[in-house]
Amino acid sequence: MKLKKLMAISLVGAMAASMVGCAGSSDGKTGAGNGTSTENSGEAVASNGEKLVVWTLASDLKQFAERYTEQTGTEVETVVIEPGDYPTKVQTALMGGETEPDIIVGEPQMLEDFYDNGFFADLDELGAKDYEGQIVDYVWKVGQDADGVQRAISYQITPAGIYYRRDIATEVFGTDDPEEIGKYFADYGTILDTANTLKDAGYRIFASDSEINYFSGDSAWVVDGALNVSQARLDYMDLVISLYQDDLTAYANQWSTPWYQAMSGEVPILTAEIQNYEDDSVNVWDAESFEEATADLEKTTVFAFGLPSWGVLTMRDNVGETSGKWGVCQGPAYGFGGGTYIGISSLSERKELAWDFIKFCTLNEETADWWIETSEGDTVSLISALDKHKDDENAVYGGEKLYSFWLEQAEGIDYSKVTKYDKVIGDAWGQAIGAIKTGQATKEEALNTFYDTIESTYPDIKVTR
């Protein structure tokens, strides 16, 4: 296959951060049991001495590879590459005609460029269509190129939810039931009311004002060639600005020391200037110096976090003594974030073996059972496994049946609303919100800058102001 020239791929901290959540368990535990797979679920086969080379963004695949080697005897060399370096390394290898790696991966925001440039082999030629309907629908579609050809499959679903403190919910709202608490996050205006109610009770709704990012508007950015700034997008903008300007969060930044600390208990209430780095007197990225610098600040307890399903793993490692006091409910819109999609390099000389590895990781029910146990809560994409574990209770979340919840949320995701423009437009929208909330620009000025950016970046998109 002739490879096209790769377009520039923009990666930001959000992707790198999401990989923290997608990384799964790093303790090397393995699940119990060595049951017999069936061909229908992606049975692993021996390789007759061949070796596979895997390039990945997430350390998860090292564990999958080790499991695959145990069961097949196939040697798998797994190379974990930093997210910021990954696209360039893949481009260099494939444009240079390298026949290794055999397996390459991508997150949703980079996949379209990889598909367009011929980096991923055609999985339909290897029999992928035989498995259609076995993987959660939106995940299956993410793995298809513009022509509907299957190029990659993920072992995860990553729908978003609101993680909240059950004890605080009972105190302030009189219930900790996920369905009832979900009503307090039903839309952006209601979330603002909820934030004010919690502040009056001595709490902060979120550690940061970025917690609703995964629910930032259930609509496509581009419709019929025109920029679509829906009312939901504007309402989301107004909510984030109010959370920031009305002192409704702990002014932490996502992934910083206080953000993680808020999962286990009290955290200092910082200032807007510290959050936006105008005041660098507090290093929010160094736990030791942070504790010393904020010792005298007023403290608060945070009510909720907004994260995809892999947040179960992030929370698991950081909730400490608050374990068992959490619940998960629906947010104001259906959303998802991250996910590792596995494909085969179009230049691989071991495509049949590579396809067997992909089936093992994504379509094998025994593997899915193992990964659920090993990761202690990651949410697989194989429907039969999700159904099998639908009544599993998660102790961190008060015994909530999270696999049923995540499958329900995934079924609400409409992937047709995802476009190739989303990354750039979303970043520009975030910059506009940041300029308004910090007072660098009026709403009108920021919106005009946003429109200017879209017009200059995508002349083919019709922009109506």
Side-chain angles (χ1 to χ4, degrees):
M1 174 184 293
K2 184 177 181 180
L3 301 178
K4 304 173 188 175
K5 185 178 179 181
L6 179 67
M7 297 180 291
I9 299 174
S10 174
L11 294 176
V12 295
M15 193 204 85
S18 71
M19 295 315 302
V20 174
C22 295
S25 173
S26 60
D27 58 11
K29 297 178 185 176
T30 57
N34 289 300
T36 303
S37 303
T38 64
E39 180 57 35
N40 190 47
S41 59
E43 181 181 1
V45 296
S47 66
N48 298 318
E50 291 185 279
K51 181 186 81 169
L52 277 175
V53 178
V54 176
W55 282 10
T56 179
L57 294 152
S59 60
D60 291 358
L61 281 192
K62 291 185 70 173
Q63 294 172 272
F64 280 94
E66 289 167 2
R67 180 77 170 180
Y68 185 73
T69 298
E70 289 173 4
Q71 297 203 355
T72 67
T74 303
E75 181 184 355
V76 182
E77 177 186 338
T78 308
V79 181
V80 181
I81 300 170
E82 288 295 321
D85 299 330
Y86 188 82
T88 300
K89 286 186 177 294
V90 170
Q91 176 189 4
T92 300
L94 272 75
M95 297 298 291
E98 299 292 335
T99 58
E100 293 181 353
D102 302 291
I103 295 288
I104 56 176
V105 304
E107 280 208 322
Q109 64 266 35
M110 66 173 67
L111 289 176
E112 187 164 2
D113 281 334
F114 280 9
Y115 297 158
D116 287 348
N117 290 282
F119 289 177
F120 280 101
D122 183 341
L123 299 185
D124 288 336
E125 292 181 349
L126 296 166
K129 285 189 181 298
D130 294 342
Y131 299 92
E132 190 166 7
Q134 295 188 29
I135 294 289
V136 171
D137 184 61
Y138 95 84
V139 171
W140 193 254
K141 289 178 179 176
V142 172
Q144 294 177 348
D145 65 17
D147 297 320
V149 175
Q150 202 70 39
R151 301 285 180 179
I153 308 172
S154 179
Y155 53 91
Q156 301 168 300
I157 59 172
T158 58
I162 300 291
Y163 298 68
Y164 66 91
R165 282 278 295 267
R166 287 179 178 270
D167 52 339
I168 297 174
T170 299
E171 176 190 337
V172 178
F173 303 113
T175 179
D176 69 348
D177 179 73
E179 188 170 340
E180 291 301 313
I181 297 303
K183 296 176 182 178
Y184 291 95
F185 293 91
D187 54 59
Y188 306 117
T190 299
I191 292 173
L192 185 58
D193 292 339
T194 301
N196 280 294
T197 299
L198 285 160
K199 185 178 180 182
D200 290 343
Y203 302 103
R204 298 299 168 99
I205 186 171
F206 302 127
S208 77
D209 54 44
S210 301
E211 299 304 313
I212 303 297
N213 181 54
Y214 295 105
F215 313 93
S216 59
D218 192 16
S219 58
W221 270 119
V222 178
V223 177
D224 296 330
L227 180 67
N228 176 41
V229 181
S230 66
Q231 186 59 49
R233 299 283 185 186
L234 294 168
D235 291 344
Y236 166 77
M237 170 182 276
D238 290 342
L239 170 62
V240 175
I241 292 167
S242 294
L243 289 172
Y244 182 90
Q245 294 185 346
D246 296 346
D247 193 30
L248 295 172
T249 74
Y251 286 115
N253 288 296
Q254 281 188 317
W255 318 110
S256 68
T257 293
W259 186 80
Y260 283 112
Q261 288 180 350
M263 296 177 182
S264 62
E266 284 191 332
V267 288
I269 301 174
L270 304 179
T271 64
E273 289 73 25
I274 291 173
Q275 183 181 352
N276 66 32
Y277 303 114
E278 286 183 12
D279 177 357
D280 60 2
S281 63
V282 177
N283 182 354
V284 299
W285 305 102
D286 182 84
E288 187 174 341
S289 65
F290 176 81
E291 184 175 359
E292 181 178 347
T294 59
D296 297 328
L297 292 182
E298 180 186 354
K299 293 181 171 55
T300 190
T301 301
V302 168
F303 179 59
F305 292 83
L307 288 168
S309 56
W310 47 255
V312 168
L313 311 181
T314 306
M315 300 285 285
R316 176 202 67 200
D317 295 337
N318 291 281
V319 294
E321 294 182 0
T322 66
S323 181
K325 296 181 179 180
W326 292 89
V328 187
C329 67
Q330 185 171 344
Y334 291 105
F336 71 98
T340 302
Y341 287 76
I342 313 171
I344 301 172
S345 166
S346 58
L347 300 183
S348 170
E349 295 177 347
R350 310 180 185 104
K351 288 186 175 66
E352 289 289 345
L353 183 59
W355 172 231
D356 187 70
F357 178 76
I358 291 176
K359 288 190 293 180
F360 175 83
C361 294
T362 64
L363 292 158
N364 185 315
E365 190 172 295
E366 182 202 344
T367 302
D369 290 341
W370 161 80
W371 183 240
I372 284 172
E373 181 177 348
T374 299
S375 67
E376 299 179 43
D378 200 13
T379 313
V380 298
S381 61
L382 188 63
I383 294 173
S384 62
L386 287 173
D387 185 63
K388 180 178 179 180
H389 292 273
K390 65 183 179 182
D391 292 324
D392 287 7
E393 298 180 350
N394 192 309
V396 175
Y397 301 92
E400 193 169 343
K401 297 176 181 178
L402 290 184
Y403 293 117
S404 294
F405 172 79
W406 293 126
L407 180 56
E408 180 183 337
Q409 297 307 301
E411 289 171 346
I413 296 171
D414 182 355
Y415 192 67
S416 69
K417 297 175 182 177
V418 177
T419 76
K420 65 181 180 180
Y421 308 105
D422 291 355
K423 178 68 176 61
V424 171
I425 297 178
D427 284 351
W429 189 246
Q431 290 167 6
I433 293 173
I436 299 168
K437 75 181 187 182
T438 58
Q440 298 174 39
T442 66
K443 189 171 184 179
E444 181 179 5
E445 291 169 341
L447 285 174
N448 280 328
T449 299
F450 167 74
Y451 291 131
D452 289 344
T453 299
I454 305 311
E455 285 180 328
S456 62
T457 308
Y458 298 114
D460 57 319
I461 295 178
K462 179 182 178 181
V463 175
T464 301
R465 302 184 185 229

